[in-house]
Amino acid sequence: MSDTSPPVLAGVAAESTKPYVLIVGAGLGGLMMGILLERAGIPYDIFERAAKVKPLGALMSISENILPAFEQLGLLEAIEKIALPLKLFSVYKESMEHLGDYYSGRKAKTGYDSLLFPRPKLYELMLKQIPAERLHFSKKVLSTEQKPEGVLIRCADNTTYRGDILVGADGAYSGVRQSLYKQLSAEGKLPVEDGKDLEMGYVCMVGTTDPQDPEKYPMFKDDHTKIMQVAGENSPYTWTTICVAENRICWSVVSQLPSVRAAQDERFRNSEWGPETNEAMIKEIYNFPTVMGGKLGDLIDATPRDLISKVFLEEKMFQTWYHGRAALLGDAVHKMLPTAGQGAVNAMQDAVVLTNCIYHMPSVTPDNITAAFKAYQEHRYPHAKMQFDISRANGKIMSGQTWSERLIRAIVLNYIPQRVLDRSIKGANYRPQISFLPEAKMRGIVPVLPQMTFPTRTENITTSTAVAV
């Protein structure tokens, strides 16, 4: 689609036809939604504000919570090729004194390894599943409008698009959510908590190196990987290094902010971070020692500067996930700390469940859309809330630098038996699958929760098209 001559797009569908879905945001959640709609034969388009994909990000981990869905899509083997299984999580003091280990025993329990890889690798794999004509860049959505006959989005390039359903997958500061909440607030229907800012407690810098010499870093010769974390002793920092496929090293540095006021000041000073703010932090962390030898600066120098990103680690669990013809997913409704590796996983789980609910609508009517969205939130909210709480707790244990948080970290790593930690793998029994594809077989010994059930679709469904407004 060109900005000057938009093509014919699916438009408002009549009763008993497939809905046309507008997806705002081409992150992992938005891409997963697109892949699923593509497989379901439901028309859609994805609108991304960026001009092109920039492969930012460092480590990502996925396991049994979402791998069955990738297995259904025929992508599990491709993911395994870009990943290494996690075997060990080791924590050290800045002096390189060993604090303790946690051994990953997930495969014996769940049937799946925790697979670690650079986040851009998964993004590239998923992006290839989306037909080029369905993904539209430089489409910054300025406003949304709901009407009885459909939903509209208006973009900064003066284009307007109309559909039956709008999905906001556009991140923690979702424009779709802001537009939705503005309407609800004007009607007096927005919960007070949903109107408050995200909470911020950490600042994080991440990157992934270019390929490194296995002779310098012998850990590359293993068929698995481990997470090596260092807790600063006289600073608010913790930093982590992980060897991943293709002889690359993912690294991250987390700084805990000391107070709410400090978080507010940091947000104000860095509302639009640029390269100069990165350089200031790089200078501060450059000489930090790493478990694999050398200093953090060695890895920073081996990482393209334009692929180093600095972000706030914020969190918030929103109460309102949908209204009318619009629904939200991922960070737009549950921004989690990355310490449990569940942010992107939950966004993709949202996409699976939301697509299932849309697919099984008997017809495209406002009442059916509302019922589908209601089922989506009721199913997903308790699971997302549990992972939100786990991520918050893990953040305190692994990245917290207060006296009490250091004490808790030492207790968890040194005094709680491994068998107890293994039993504490929460959420391993929740594995939402794609309802319209053959189920992946259940693996492991952890009992799996039942899948959502839907009435059998018997009607002959067709697709309508219309021109962009």
Side-chain angles (χ1 to χ4, degrees):
M1 179 175 62
S2 67
D3 291 344
T4 56
S5 182
V8 174
L9 295 176
V12 178
E15 189 171 340
S16 295
T17 64
K18 296 179 182 180
Y20 168 46
V21 182
L22 307 172
I23 303 170
V24 178
L28 292 177
L31 290 185
M32 176 62 95
M33 188 85 192
I35 292 169
L36 296 170
L37 293 173
E38 184 74 26
R39 296 296 182 91
I42 296 174
Y44 68 96
D45 280 278
I46 303 174
F47 302 89
E48 168 58 44
R49 64 180 295 169
K52 63 178 181 179
V53 175
K54 191 174 182 181
L56 294 172
L59 182 75
M60 184 172 173
S61 172
I62 57 177
S63 57
E64 72 286 333
N65 299 125
I66 195 62
L67 285 175
F70 280 110
E71 193 170 1
Q72 290 180 281
L73 292 168
L75 297 175
L76 179 58
E77 184 176 341
I79 292 175
E80 291 173 338
K81 287 181 179 178
I82 64 172
L84 288 174
L86 173 66
K87 297 299 182 185
L88 184 68
F89 191 120
S90 296
V91 182
Y92 295 77
K93 291 184 179 180
E94 192 169 348
S95 62
M96 293 296 107
E97 177 187 346
H98 186 210
L99 279 175
D101 295 322
Y102 170 70
Y103 293 89
S104 175
R106 295 194 86 96
K107 188 165 187 178
K109 299 288 184 181
T110 70
Y112 294 91
D113 278 309
S114 286
L115 299 178
L116 274 61
F117 45 83
R119 186 186 183 102
K121 289 294 182 181
L122 180 64
Y123 193 91
E124 291 168 8
L125 174 64
M126 295 178 67
L127 193 63
K128 291 177 181 177
Q129 313 306 312
I130 303 291
E133 66 272 16
R134 290 297 189 190
L135 183 55
H136 315 296
F137 291 102
S138 298
K139 290 292 181 179
K140 181 180 179 180
V141 176
L142 296 180
S143 66
T144 68
E145 181 181 356
Q146 297 198 41
K147 297 185 175 184
E149 65 274 15
V151 61
L152 302 176
I153 61 171
R154 296 184 176 85
C155 302
D157 60 359
N158 294 318
T159 54
T160 301
Y161 299 91
R162 178 183 60 192
D164 300 299
I165 288 173
L166 172 62
V167 176
D170 47 342
Y173 287 88
S174 166
V176 174
R177 187 187 69 233
Q178 292 175 27
S179 181
L180 206 63
Y181 282 14
K182 183 178 180 180
Q183 178 185 349
L184 287 167
S185 181
E187 297 173 4
K189 298 177 181 178
L190 186 70
V192 173
E193 287 299 315
D194 281 351
K196 296 181 179 179
D197 287 337
L198 282 76
E199 297 179 27
M200 181 178 68
Y202 307 87
V203 175
C204 179
M205 178 172 282
V206 299
T208 300
T209 69
D210 290 330
Q212 299 298 292
D213 184 359
E215 297 304 319
K216 182 178 180 180
Y217 300 108
M219 298 169 193
F220 285 127
K221 299 176 182 180
D222 297 332
D223 61 356
H224 59 270
T225 191
K226 69 176 183 178
I227 298 174
M228 295 164 284
Q229 180 171 302
V230 180
E233 296 176 58
N234 298 300
S235 74
Y237 291 104
T238 58
W239 55 100
T240 304
T241 53
I242 310 99
C243 294
V244 294
E246 298 181 346
N247 294 343
R248 298 176 187 269
I249 299 172
C250 291
W251 57 270
S252 65
V253 183
V254 176
S255 174
Q256 185 180 39
L257 297 169
S259 64
V260 173
R261 177 59 183 271
Q264 292 171 341
D265 290 346
E266 190 76 17
R267 179 182 280 118
F268 176 77
R269 287 196 303 269
N270 299 287
S271 57
E272 289 292 339
W273 273 332
E276 66 282 356
T277 63
N278 281 3
E279 291 303 322
M281 186 170 176
I282 286 172
K283 184 177 180 180
E284 190 168 354
I285 66 177
Y286 193 86
N287 290 311
F288 287 178
T290 71
V291 179
M292 59 179 56
K295 57 184 183 293
L296 200 55
D298 298 332
L299 306 182
I300 293 171
D301 290 341
T303 304
R305 275 300 203 265
D306 63 333
L307 299 184
I308 295 175
S309 57
K310 179 182 176 186
V311 295
F312 290 129
L313 299 187
E314 300 169 290
E315 59 177 353
K316 185 173 176 66
M317 191 76 191
F318 291 91
Q319 306 298 310
T320 307
W321 289 32
Y322 67 92
H323 178 65
R325 292 177 174 268
L328 305 168
L329 65 76
D331 286 355
V333 281
H334 45 66
K335 181 67 175 74
M336 302 178 188
L337 295 178
T339 47
Q342 285 293 314
V345 169
N346 273 263
M348 293 186 285
Q349 289 176 333
D350 289 346
V352 170
V353 175
L354 180 55
T355 303
N356 288 345
C357 292
I358 291 172
Y359 179 86
H360 289 281
M361 289 193 309
S363 60
V364 185
T365 66
D367 286 347
N368 285 335
I369 292 171
T370 297
F373 290 169
K374 183 174 184 290
Y376 157 63
Q377 178 169 350
E378 287 181 348
H379 178 81
R380 281 291 301 135
Y381 187 89
H383 299 288
K385 180 62 166 62
M386 180 180 69
Q387 294 300 340
F388 176 88
D389 293 339
I390 290 173
S391 297
R392 171 175 286 185
N394 279 7
K396 292 180 179 294
I397 294 171
M398 305 315 302
S399 300
Q401 290 289 56
T402 66
W403 178 86
S404 61
E405 289 164 344
R406 290 172 185 264
L407 177 62
I408 292 171
R409 181 160 55 239
I411 291 172
V412 169
L413 291 170
N414 292 285
Y415 297 103
I416 299 180
Q418 180 71 34
R419 64 181 183 278
V420 175
L421 294 175
D422 287 344
R423 288 202 300 267
S424 68
I425 298 177
K426 293 185 177 180
N429 60 347
Y430 178 64
R431 309 178 192 181
Q433 294 202 30
I434 304 161
S435 63
F436 48 87
L437 294 179
E439 281 195 11
K441 66 178 183 180
M442 293 298 103
R443 304 185 183 189
I445 61 174
V446 174
V448 178
L449 294 176
Q451 298 294 314
M452 289 182 72
T453 58
F454 300 92
T456 302
R457 287 171 48 149
T458 57
E459 73 275 16
N460 182 25
I461 296 181
T462 59
T463 303
S464 66
T465 60
V467 180
V469 178

